[in-house]
Amino acid sequence: DEEFRKTVPATATRSSYATHAQLLAPRALNSHKGNFGKIVLVGGSDGMPGAIRMAAEASQRVGAGLVRTLSATSSREAIMSGRPEIIASTFDLEGGGDDGAARLDKALQWASVLVVGPGMGQGKWGQYVWAQAMDAEKPAVIDADALNLLSASKAPKLTRDNWVLTPHPGEASRLLGITTAEEAERRFT
């Protein structure tokens, strides 16, 4: 209500397409998908393909040129079902051998930007692909279990100025080493 808005100052604003449309340059008529970046989304461990697929779809909707997921083999079918435009690469720890490690490295080097964490899990597979993605030193969105692995690592070398962290209150509290109640109190200060 209006009285509330006058009493309590806004600490955030709503964002919409209309508020940002003027910031987007029109795309050239002769442009193609190769002109708009290559994103690799790392996640989708065994039995957890949903989040990585939704993140891949969102990447396409906002205009990424080429979108590739890097998931466990068991997640590939669910990721691609109804979305053949997603490039679905796989990596498995068991039986992947040198070929699997080479595919993982090649996919990470191919990317211009990474999204790390959706459906990744914190098991052996998630820990391995997370470490490889961090070593790639690419601009990245760090989400979900990648945030949990980051908060558990406490490694100073993992501080980067080309990351965007997307924690929910529980993940933020783990990253900051505080309770969720403290995180809620400090959220906009």
mmCIF file of all heavy atoms in Angstrom, residues 140-176:
data_model
loop_
_atom_site.group_PDB
_atom_site.id
_atom_site.type_symbol
_atom_site.label_atom_id
_atom_site.label_comp_id
_atom_site.label_asym_id
_atom_site.label_seq_id
_atom_site.Cartn_x
_atom_site.Cartn_y
_atom_site.Cartn_z
ATOM 1 N N ALA A 140 31.866 -17.304 -14.950
ATOM 2 C CA ALA A 140 30.922 -18.357 -14.561
ATOM 3 C C ALA A 140 29.816 -17.844 -13.662
ATOM 4 O O ALA A 140 30.002 -16.916 -12.885
ATOM 5 C CB ALA A 140 31.667 -19.486 -13.850
ATOM 6 N N VAL A 141 28.672 -18.499 -13.791
ATOM 7 C CA VAL A 141 27.580 -18.385 -12.843
ATOM 8 C C VAL A 141 27.708 -19.613 -11.951
ATOM 9 O O VAL A 141 27.710 -20.744 -12.445
ATOM 10 C CB VAL A 141 26.209 -18.357 -13.546
ATOM 11 C CG1 VAL A 141 25.082 -18.377 -12.520
ATOM 12 C CG2 VAL A 141 26.103 -17.138 -14.447
ATOM 13 N N ILE A 142 27.845 -19.394 -10.645
ATOM 14 C CA ILE A 142 28.024 -20.479 -9.689
ATOM 15 C C ILE A 142 26.710 -20.629 -8.932
ATOM 16 O O ILE A 142 26.241 -19.696 -8.278
ATOM 17 C CB ILE A 142 29.182 -20.183 -8.711
ATOM 18 C CG1 ILE A 142 30.454 -19.780 -9.473
ATOM 19 C CG2 ILE A 142 29.433 -21.370 -7.792
ATOM 20 C CD1 ILE A 142 30.997 -20.829 -10.410
ATOM 21 N N ASP A 143 26.114 -21.820 -9.019
ATOM 22 C CA ASP A 143 24.766 -22.040 -8.515
ATOM 23 C C ASP A 143 24.689 -23.362 -7.769
ATOM 24 O O ASP A 143 25.524 -24.242 -7.942
ATOM 25 C CB ASP A 143 23.800 -22.061 -9.717
ATOM 26 C CG ASP A 143 22.347 -22.172 -9.322
ATOM 27 O OD1 ASP A 143 21.916 -21.436 -8.416
ATOM 28 O OD2 ASP A 143 21.636 -22.991 -9.925
ATOM 29 N N ALA A 144 23.670 -23.500 -6.945
ATOM 30 C CA ALA A 144 23.271 -24.768 -6.330
ATOM 31 C C ALA A 144 24.444 -25.485 -5.664
ATOM 32 O O ALA A 144 25.118 -24.900 -4.818
ATOM 33 C CB ALA A 144 22.575 -25.635 -7.377
ATOM 34 N N ASP A 145 24.664 -26.750 -6.028
ATOM 35 C CA ASP A 145 25.697 -27.532 -5.344
ATOM 36 C C ASP A 145 27.107 -27.004 -5.579
ATOM 37 O O ASP A 145 27.997 -27.261 -4.775
ATOM 38 C CB ASP A 145 25.601 -29.009 -5.728
ATOM 39 C CG ASP A 145 24.510 -29.714 -4.953
ATOM 40 O OD1 ASP A 145 24.344 -29.402 -3.755
ATOM 41 O OD2 ASP A 145 23.816 -30.565 -5.524
ATOM 42 N N ALA A 146 27.344 -26.262 -6.630
ATOM 43 C CA ALA A 146 28.658 -25.628 -6.792
ATOM 44 C C ALA A 146 28.892 -24.628 -5.661
ATOM 45 O O ALA A 146 30.016 -24.480 -5.179
ATOM 46 C CB ALA A 146 28.771 -24.946 -8.141
ATOM 47 N N LEU A 147 27.844 -23.948 -5.212
ATOM 48 C CA LEU A 147 27.962 -23.038 -4.066
ATOM 49 C C LEU A 147 28.259 -23.818 -2.796
ATOM 50 O O LEU A 147 29.054 -23.383 -1.961
ATOM 51 C CB LEU A 147 26.685 -22.220 -3.898
ATOM 52 C CG LEU A 147 26.404 -21.195 -4.985
ATOM 53 C CD1 LEU A 147 24.988 -20.664 -4.861
ATOM 54 C CD2 LEU A 147 27.416 -20.069 -4.944
ATOM 55 N N ASN A 148 27.608 -24.971 -2.634
ATOM 56 C CA ASN A 148 27.864 -25.789 -1.452
ATOM 57 C C ASN A 148 29.298 -26.311 -1.447
ATOM 58 O O ASN A 148 29.957 -26.319 -0.408
ATOM 59 C CB ASN A 148 26.858 -26.941 -1.381
ATOM 60 C CG ASN A 148 25.460 -26.439 -1.119
ATOM 61 O OD1 ASN A 148 25.259 -25.482 -0.371
ATOM 62 N ND2 ASN A 148 24.479 -27.056 -1.746
ATOM 63 N N LEU A 149 29.797 -26.739 -2.600
ATOM 64 C CA LEU A 149 31.187 -27.196 -2.682
ATOM 65 C C LEU A 149 32.153 -26.034 -2.468
ATOM 66 O O LEU A 149 33.194 -26.199 -1.839
ATOM 67 C CB LEU A 149 31.439 -27.891 -4.018
ATOM 68 C CG LEU A 149 30.726 -29.230 -4.189
ATOM 69 C CD1 LEU A 149 30.838 -29.728 -5.619
ATOM 70 C CD2 LEU A 149 31.271 -30.258 -3.216
ATOM 71 N N LEU A 150 31.810 -24.859 -2.978
ATOM 72 C CA LEU A 150 32.629 -23.671 -2.761
ATOM 73 C C LEU A 150 32.699 -23.334 -1.281
ATOM 74 O O LEU A 150 33.781 -23.076 -0.746
ATOM 75 C CB LEU A 150 32.066 -22.485 -3.546
ATOM 76 C CG LEU A 150 32.769 -21.142 -3.376
ATOM 77 C CD1 LEU A 150 34.205 -21.218 -3.865
ATOM 78 C CD2 LEU A 150 32.005 -20.055 -4.114
ATOM 79 N N SER A 151 31.563 -23.361 -0.588
ATOM 80 C CA SER A 151 31.576 -23.013 0.833
ATOM 81 C C SER A 151 32.331 -24.050 1.652
ATOM 82 O O SER A 151 32.954 -23.711 2.655
ATOM 83 C CB SER A 151 30.155 -22.833 1.373
ATOM 84 O OG SER A 151 29.438 -24.039 1.337
ATOM 85 N N ALA A 152 32.338 -25.299 1.221
ATOM 86 C CA ALA A 152 33.069 -26.345 1.938
ATOM 87 C C ALA A 152 34.566 -26.292 1.665
ATOM 88 O O ALA A 152 35.363 -26.736 2.487
ATOM 89 C CB ALA A 152 32.518 -27.721 1.555
ATOM 90 N N SER A 153 34.970 -25.724 0.523
ATOM 91 C CA SER A 153 36.381 -25.769 0.132
ATOM 92 C C SER A 153 37.262 -24.810 0.914
ATOM 93 O O SER A 153 38.391 -25.128 1.224
ATOM 94 C CB SER A 153 36.529 -25.481 -1.361
ATOM 95 O OG SER A 153 36.351 -24.102 -1.610
ATOM 96 N N LYS A 154 36.785 -23.609 1.175
ATOM 97 C CA LYS A 154 37.558 -22.571 1.878
ATOM 98 C C LYS A 154 38.910 -22.290 1.214
ATOM 99 O O LYS A 154 39.834 -21.829 1.842
ATOM 100 C CB LYS A 154 37.787 -22.955 3.341
ATOM 101 C CG LYS A 154 36.535 -23.287 4.114
ATOM 102 C CD LYS A 154 35.649 -22.090 4.301
ATOM 103 C CE LYS A 154 34.507 -22.449 5.221
ATOM 104 N NZ LYS A 154 33.321 -21.731 4.997
ATOM 105 N N ALA A 155 39.022 -22.590 -0.060
ATOM 106 C CA ALA A 155 40.287 -22.375 -0.774
ATOM 107 C C ALA A 155 40.387 -20.923 -1.234
ATOM 108 O O ALA A 155 39.523 -20.443 -1.972
ATOM 109 C CB ALA A 155 40.381 -23.314 -1.968
ATOM 110 N N PRO A 156 41.433 -20.193 -0.834
ATOM 111 C CA PRO A 156 41.559 -18.784 -1.231
ATOM 112 C C PRO A 156 41.696 -18.597 -2.732
ATOM 113 O O PRO A 156 41.309 -17.573 -3.259
ATOM 114 C CB PRO A 156 42.814 -18.306 -0.496
ATOM 115 C CG PRO A 156 43.537 -19.535 -0.090
ATOM 116 C CD PRO A 156 42.528 -20.643 0.002
ATOM 117 N N LYS A 157 42.233 -19.594 -3.451
ATOM 118 C CA LYS A 157 42.396 -19.450 -4.899
ATOM 119 C C LYS A 157 41.063 -19.422 -5.639
ATOM 120 O O LYS A 157 41.008 -19.137 -6.814
ATOM 121 C CB LYS A 157 43.280 -20.559 -5.466
ATOM 122 C CG LYS A 157 42.620 -21.917 -5.460
ATOM 123 C CD LYS A 157 43.476 -22.948 -6.152
ATOM 124 C CE LYS A 157 42.655 -24.221 -6.318
ATOM 125 N NZ LYS A 157 43.121 -25.071 -7.338
ATOM 126 N N LEU A 158 39.968 -19.733 -4.941
ATOM 127 C CA LEU A 158 38.669 -19.779 -5.581
ATOM 128 C C LEU A 158 37.921 -18.458 -5.502
ATOM 129 O O LEU A 158 36.722 -18.413 -5.653
ATOM 130 C CB LEU A 158 37.831 -20.913 -4.986
ATOM 131 C CG LEU A 158 38.375 -22.303 -5.301
ATOM 132 C CD1 LEU A 158 37.537 -23.375 -4.616
ATOM 133 C CD2 LEU A 158 38.417 -22.548 -6.798
ATOM 134 N N THR A 159 38.626 -17.379 -5.283
ATOM 135 C CA THR A 159 38.033 -16.051 -5.307
ATOM 136 C C THR A 159 38.277 -15.473 -6.699
ATOM 137 O O THR A 159 39.409 -15.362 -7.135
ATOM 138 C CB THR A 159 38.679 -15.153 -4.242
ATOM 139 O OG1 THR A 159 38.481 -15.767 -2.974
ATOM 140 C CG2 THR A 159 38.064 -13.774 -4.241
ATOM 141 N N ARG A 160 37.193 -15.161 -7.397
ATOM 142 C CA ARG A 160 37.328 -14.659 -8.758
ATOM 143 C C ARG A 160 36.462 -13.412 -8.937
ATOM 144 O O ARG A 160 35.413 -13.277 -8.333
ATOM 145 C CB ARG A 160 36.869 -15.716 -9.757
ATOM 146 C CG ARG A 160 37.601 -17.043 -9.700
ATOM 147 C CD ARG A 160 38.568 -17.163 -10.819
ATOM 148 N NE ARG A 160 39.229 -18.391 -11.110
ATOM 149 C CZ ARG A 160 39.339 -19.492 -10.427
ATOM 150 N NH1 ARG A 160 38.745 -19.627 -9.295
ATOM 151 N NH2 ARG A 160 40.029 -20.508 -10.858
ATOM 152 N N ASP A 161 36.898 -12.524 -9.803
ATOM 153 C CA ASP A 161 36.089 -11.339 -10.091
ATOM 154 C C ASP A 161 35.218 -11.539 -11.331
ATOM 155 O O ASP A 161 34.509 -10.639 -11.738
ATOM 156 C CB ASP A 161 36.974 -10.099 -10.240
ATOM 157 C CG ASP A 161 37.962 -10.209 -11.394
ATOM 158 O OD1 ASP A 161 37.981 -11.239 -12.090
ATOM 159 O OD2 ASP A 161 38.723 -9.249 -11.601
ATOM 160 N N ASN A 162 35.261 -12.729 -11.930
ATOM 161 C CA ASN A 162 34.436 -12.996 -13.110
ATOM 162 C C ASN A 162 33.365 -14.049 -12.823
ATOM 163 O O ASN A 162 32.935 -14.765 -13.703
ATOM 164 C CB ASN A 162 35.305 -13.414 -14.298
ATOM 165 C CG ASN A 162 36.091 -14.697 -14.056
ATOM 166 O OD1 ASN A 162 36.141 -15.214 -12.937
ATOM 167 N ND2 ASN A 162 36.719 -15.200 -15.102
ATOM 168 N N TRP A 163 32.918 -14.127 -11.578
ATOM 169 C CA TRP A 163 31.851 -15.039 -11.172
ATOM 170 C C TRP A 163 30.615 -14.255 -10.766
ATOM 171 O O TRP A 163 30.712 -13.151 -10.219
ATOM 172 C CB TRP A 163 32.256 -15.840 -9.946
ATOM 173 C CG TRP A 163 33.213 -16.953 -10.169
ATOM 174 C CD1 TRP A 163 33.764 -17.368 -11.354
ATOM 175 C CD2 TRP A 163 33.754 -17.795 -9.155
ATOM 176 N NE1 TRP A 163 34.605 -18.416 -11.118
ATOM 177 C CE2 TRP A 163 34.622 -18.700 -9.784
ATOM 178 C CE3 TRP A 163 33.591 -17.869 -7.785
ATOM 179 C CZ2 TRP A 163 35.317 -19.675 -9.079
ATOM 180 C CZ3 TRP A 163 34.285 -18.828 -7.093
ATOM 181 C CH2 TRP A 163 35.136 -19.727 -7.739
ATOM 182 N N VAL A 164 29.475 -14.877 -10.960
ATOM 183 C CA VAL A 164 28.224 -14.418 -10.384
ATOM 184 C C VAL A 164 27.740 -15.562 -9.504
ATOM 185 O O VAL A 164 27.580 -16.690 -9.988
ATOM 186 C CB VAL A 164 27.167 -14.096 -11.466
ATOM 187 C CG1 VAL A 164 25.828 -13.757 -10.825
ATOM 188 C CG2 VAL A 164 27.650 -12.966 -12.362
ATOM 189 N N LEU A 165 27.553 -15.291 -8.224
ATOM 190 C CA LEU A 165 27.057 -16.296 -7.292
ATOM 191 C C LEU A 165 25.554 -16.107 -7.128
ATOM 192 O O LEU A 165 25.086 -14.975 -7.009
ATOM 193 C CB LEU A 165 27.742 -16.163 -5.929
ATOM 194 C CG LEU A 165 29.276 -16.192 -5.925
ATOM 195 C CD1 LEU A 165 29.792 -16.100 -4.497
ATOM 196 C CD2 LEU A 165 29.822 -17.415 -6.615
ATOM 197 N N THR A 166 24.802 -17.212 -7.097
ATOM 198 C CA THR A 166 23.338 -17.123 -7.029
ATOM 199 C C THR A 166 22.787 -17.909 -5.838
ATOM 200 O O THR A 166 21.964 -18.804 -6.012
ATOM 201 C CB THR A 166 22.709 -17.655 -8.333
ATOM 202 O OG1 THR A 166 23.084 -19.037 -8.485
ATOM 203 C CG2 THR A 166 23.156 -16.853 -9.531
ATOM 204 N N PRO A 167 23.197 -17.577 -4.628
ATOM 205 C CA PRO A 167 22.751 -18.386 -3.486
ATOM 206 C C PRO A 167 21.340 -18.068 -3.017
ATOM 207 O O PRO A 167 20.909 -16.930 -3.046
ATOM 208 C CB PRO A 167 23.748 -17.999 -2.393
ATOM 209 C CG PRO A 167 24.101 -16.582 -2.716
ATOM 210 C CD PRO A 167 24.118 -16.516 -4.233
ATOM 211 N N HIS A 168 20.634 -19.118 -2.591
ATOM 212 C CA HIS A 168 19.416 -18.905 -1.813
ATOM 213 C C HIS A 168 19.872 -18.703 -0.364
ATOM 214 O O HIS A 168 21.071 -18.826 -0.068
ATOM 215 C CB HIS A 168 18.415 -20.046 -1.989
ATOM 216 C CG HIS A 168 18.893 -21.404 -1.578
ATOM 217 N ND1 HIS A 168 19.338 -21.718 -0.308
ATOM 218 C CD2 HIS A 168 18.979 -22.558 -2.285
ATOM 219 C CE1 HIS A 168 19.670 -22.982 -0.234
ATOM 220 N NE2 HIS A 168 19.478 -23.519 -1.432
ATOM 221 N N PRO A 169 18.989 -18.353 0.564
ATOM 222 C CA PRO A 169 19.419 -18.030 1.927
ATOM 223 C C PRO A 169 20.268 -19.113 2.611
ATOM 224 O O PRO A 169 21.252 -18.798 3.284
ATOM 225 C CB PRO A 169 18.112 -17.790 2.684
ATOM 226 C CG PRO A 169 17.199 -17.259 1.623
ATOM 227 C CD PRO A 169 17.547 -18.047 0.382
ATOM 228 N N GLY A 170 19.935 -20.375 2.422
ATOM 229 C CA GLY A 170 20.723 -21.445 3.043
ATOM 230 C C GLY A 170 22.133 -21.512 2.484
ATOM 231 O O GLY A 170 23.116 -21.656 3.226
ATOM 232 N N GLU A 171 22.259 -21.392 1.165
ATOM 233 C CA GLU A 171 23.585 -21.407 0.532
ATOM 234 C C GLU A 171 24.374 -20.165 0.934
ATOM 235 O O GLU A 171 25.579 -20.247 1.203
ATOM 236 C CB GLU A 171 23.434 -21.491 -0.990
ATOM 237 C CG GLU A 171 22.866 -22.812 -1.460
ATOM 238 C CD GLU A 171 22.301 -22.767 -2.873
ATOM 239 O OE1 GLU A 171 22.047 -21.666 -3.411
ATOM 240 O OE2 GLU A 171 22.094 -23.854 -3.427
ATOM 241 N N ALA A 172 23.707 -19.014 0.985
ATOM 242 C CA ALA A 172 24.386 -17.779 1.390
ATOM 243 C C ALA A 172 24.912 -17.887 2.815
ATOM 244 O O ALA A 172 26.032 -17.464 3.106
ATOM 245 C CB ALA A 172 23.441 -16.583 1.267
ATOM 246 N N SER A 173 24.114 -18.455 3.698
ATOM 247 C CA SER A 173 24.560 -18.573 5.092
ATOM 248 C C SER A 173 25.772 -19.489 5.194
ATOM 249 O O SER A 173 26.703 -19.216 5.957
ATOM 250 C CB SER A 173 23.423 -19.062 5.995
ATOM 251 O OG SER A 173 23.054 -20.383 5.686
ATOM 252 N N ARG A 174 25.817 -20.569 4.403
ATOM 253 C CA ARG A 174 26.994 -21.455 4.412
ATOM 254 C C ARG A 174 28.222 -20.737 3.851
ATOM 255 O O ARG A 174 29.324 -20.865 4.375
ATOM 256 C CB ARG A 174 26.702 -22.736 3.641
ATOM 257 C CG ARG A 174 25.803 -23.698 4.410
ATOM 258 C CD ARG A 174 25.670 -25.041 3.716
ATOM 259 N NE ARG A 174 24.875 -24.998 2.504
ATOM 260 C CZ ARG A 174 23.537 -25.017 2.469
ATOM 261 N NH1 ARG A 174 22.840 -25.037 3.591
ATOM 262 N NH2 ARG A 174 22.903 -25.006 1.314
ATOM 263 N N LEU A 175 28.042 -19.975 2.779
ATOM 264 C CA LEU A 175 29.165 -19.234 2.192
ATOM 265 C C LEU A 175 29.724 -18.196 3.162
ATOM 266 O O LEU A 175 30.933 -17.983 3.229
ATOM 267 C CB LEU A 175 28.729 -18.529 0.901
ATOM 268 C CG LEU A 175 28.586 -19.401 -0.330
ATOM 269 C CD1 LEU A 175 27.817 -18.649 -1.413
ATOM 270 C CD2 LEU A 175 29.942 -19.850 -0.850
ATOM 271 N N LEU A 176 28.842 -17.540 3.898
ATOM 272 C CA LEU A 176 29.244 -16.470 4.806
ATOM 273 C C LEU A 176 29.613 -16.963 6.197
ATOM 274 O O LEU A 176 30.119 -16.197 7.019
ATOM 275 C CB LEU A 176 28.118 -15.423 4.907
ATOM 276 C CG LEU A 176 27.766 -14.717 3.601
ATOM 277 C CD1 LEU A 176 26.485 -13.917 3.758
ATOM 278 C CD2 LEU A 176 28.924 -13.845 3.143
#
